[in-house]
Amino acid sequence: MSWYYTPVPTVFPAENFNPSADAAALRKAMKGFGTDEQAIIDILCARTNAQRQEIAVAFQRDLGRDLIKDLKSELGGKFEDVIIGLMMPPVNYLCKQLFKAMDGIGTDEKALIEILCSQNNEQMHAISHTYEDMFNRPLAEQVCTETSGSFRRLLTLIITGTRDTPGTVDPEKAVVQAKQLYDAGEARFGTDESAFYKILAHASFDQLEHVFEEYKKLTGRTIEQALKAELSGDFYDAVSAIVECVQMAPHFFAKKLFKSMHGVGTDDKTLMRIIISRSEIDLQNIKDEYEQMYNKTLLSAVVSDTSGDYKKALCALIGKA
């Protein structure tokens, strides 16, 4: 299965867009006694991030008020988290999520893996640069203090942006790299993890696809089977995430969404992070993949797992079709 899919979002630019009219409607929804949450959802969940930024500018210019401040004072709980998340530029939103994953006691390794292992070089440079601007500390440095071992080395290599540019493919080199992975894992007693993180953090996603094909030709086993036998813990999870994103990113995110709602309780952080961050990239593909994998729609899963305005906002972003 190739990662060459055409990304289809669920949130598109609103036609006949008028930021001043939207700003006025939002002010009306928050003015006086009580808040018209549905009006806020109808506007902000049906605009792209670029349009939301224009609405915020119009809100300040026309009404002399800070839209984010007003939203924060009127909304609460998970509904507020979704709406404020939608108002942040996408790269800033991901940086905030990375910061939250490492802030305080304990580290949310799953969030680090999900965000860092799914980015190409250009995206990673933007995240790294913005993170330092926002939190006055290099992202690589903070990740180093929160992680250890091969997992730390892999994430650091990804963050420092040493991955080849998209489209970079060398079929002959792919044969060599497949052999290096085999020699570092299945062919020896014990595993040389450095070969895994060097190749998986440096090669472009296009190149890695060739490497995985060559690995199968060479060993008769898929790279996933090899990883499962050779690696463990957070390092295994991170390397697996890269493999899945190379082969089919929507499959990776669909699985994450399923896990966030499966069993007792809901992992709301993961649920809202993926829906917000992928809504303008490939959430339609993720929905299609989800339905194929689990024989039910993402929308129905979210409806049965969430409630109130939080549910309405997520459903508006997911869309019906």
Side-chain angles (χ1 to χ4, degrees), residues 185-239:
E186 294 186 272
R188 54 176 281 161
F189 182 72
T191 306
D192 173 11
E193 293 183 344
S194 67
F196 284 88
Y197 59 73
K198 280 175 186 159
I199 292 170
L200 289 160
H202 284 133
S204 70
F205 277 16
D206 309 73
Q207 177 72 7
L208 285 174
E209 196 182 6
H210 285 274
V211 173
F212 302 155
E213 281 167 15
E214 292 300 335
Y215 192 92
K216 191 151 193 236
K217 282 185 207 166
L218 175 72
T219 67
R221 281 155 68 85
T222 64
I223 189 74
E224 292 94 329
Q225 288 170 321
L227 295 176
K228 211 164 197 170
E230 295 297 326
L231 309 176
S232 61
D234 293 326
F235 184 55
Y236 166 73
D237 291 340
V239 171

Side-chain angles (χ1 to χ4, degrees), residues 2-279:
S2 166
W3 77 295
Y4 294 104
Y5 68 100
T6 305
V8 183
T10 56
V11 173
F12 296 89
E15 291 174 22
N16 309 316
F17 172 59
N18 181 338
S20 288
D22 282 348
L26 285 169
R27 176 72 185 124
K28 189 182 168 198
M30 293 185 278
K31 203 174 176 181
F33 183 71
T35 305
D36 184 352
E37 287 89 358
Q38 191 58 53
I40 294 170
I41 292 166
D42 290 343
I43 296 168
L44 295 179
C45 295
R47 306 288 183 271
T48 60
N49 193 276
Q51 289 179 329
R52 291 180 210 121
Q53 303 310 322
E54 284 189 61
I55 295 168
V57 170
F59 203 84
Q60 183 74 57
R61 184 191 62 228
D62 302 351
L63 306 159
R65 300 180 70 89
D66 183 319
L67 177 54
I68 305 252
K69 266 190 191 159
D70 277 12
L71 287 165
K72 280 183 173 172
S73 71
E74 293 294 326
L75 312 177
K78 292 180 287 233
F79 177 50
E80 180 190 333
D81 292 341
V82 173
I83 297 299
I84 299 303
L86 290 172
M87 289 305 303
M88 296 177 82
V91 68
N92 296 54
Y93 176 71
L94 288 179
C95 288
K96 183 86 189 289
Q97 298 304 306
L98 286 168
F99 179 79
K100 278 184 176 173
M102 297 182 281
D103 192 30
I105 296 165
T107 305
D108 183 353
E109 288 87 3
K110 286 184 173 62
L112 294 183
I113 290 167
E114 177 207 304
I115 297 168
L116 298 175
C117 295
S118 60
Q119 311 295 330
N120 66 29
N121 236 9
E122 199 182 331
Q123 294 162 330
M124 202 57 250
H125 281 149
I127 288 170
S128 201
H129 180 75
T130 307
Y131 191 92
E132 193 160 354
D133 278 354
M134 284 173 73
F135 302 108
N136 207 19
R137 188 178 185 189
L139 175 59
E141 185 189 289
Q142 187 149 11
V143 167
C144 273
T145 63
E146 297 289 329
T147 56
S148 61
S150 296
F151 180 53
R152 172 166 66 192
R153 285 191 282 278
L154 175 68
L155 294 189
T156 308
L157 284 173
I158 291 170
I159 293 163
T160 47
T162 50
R163 197 179 287 291
D164 294 334
T165 45
T168 311
V169 173
D170 180 343
E172 287 174 12
K173 192 177 178 185
V175 176
V176 175
Q177 288 171 316
K179 178 79 165 64
Q180 285 172 333
L181 288 177
Y182 175 68
D183 290 343
E186 294 186 272
R188 54 176 281 161
F189 182 72
T191 306
D192 173 11
E193 293 183 344
S194 67
F196 284 88
Y197 59 73
K198 280 175 186 159
I199 292 170
L200 289 160
H202 284 133
S204 70
F205 277 16
D206 309 73
Q207 177 72 7
L208 285 174
E209 196 182 6
H210 285 274
V211 173
F212 302 155
E213 281 167 15
E214 292 300 335
Y215 192 92
K216 191 151 193 236
K217 282 185 207 166
L218 175 72
T219 67
R221 281 155 68 85
T222 64
I223 189 74
E224 292 94 329
Q225 288 170 321
L227 295 176
K228 211 164 197 170
E230 295 297 326
L231 309 176
S232 61
D234 293 326
F235 184 55
Y236 166 73
D237 291 340
V239 171
S240 287
I242 294 170
V243 171
E244 285 189 55
C245 288
V246 166
Q247 295 181 332
M248 190 59 160
H251 181 92
F252 169 72
F253 287 109
K255 203 163 87 175
K256 284 260 178 195
L257 285 168
F258 178 77
K259 282 184 177 168
S260 75
M261 295 180 279
H262 191 57
V264 181
T266 305
D267 176 1
D268 292 292
K269 281 191 220 163
T270 300
L271 181 61
M272 68 176 89
R273 184 174 59 240
I274 294 175
I275 290 173
I276 291 170
S277 65
R278 306 307 292 192
S279 60

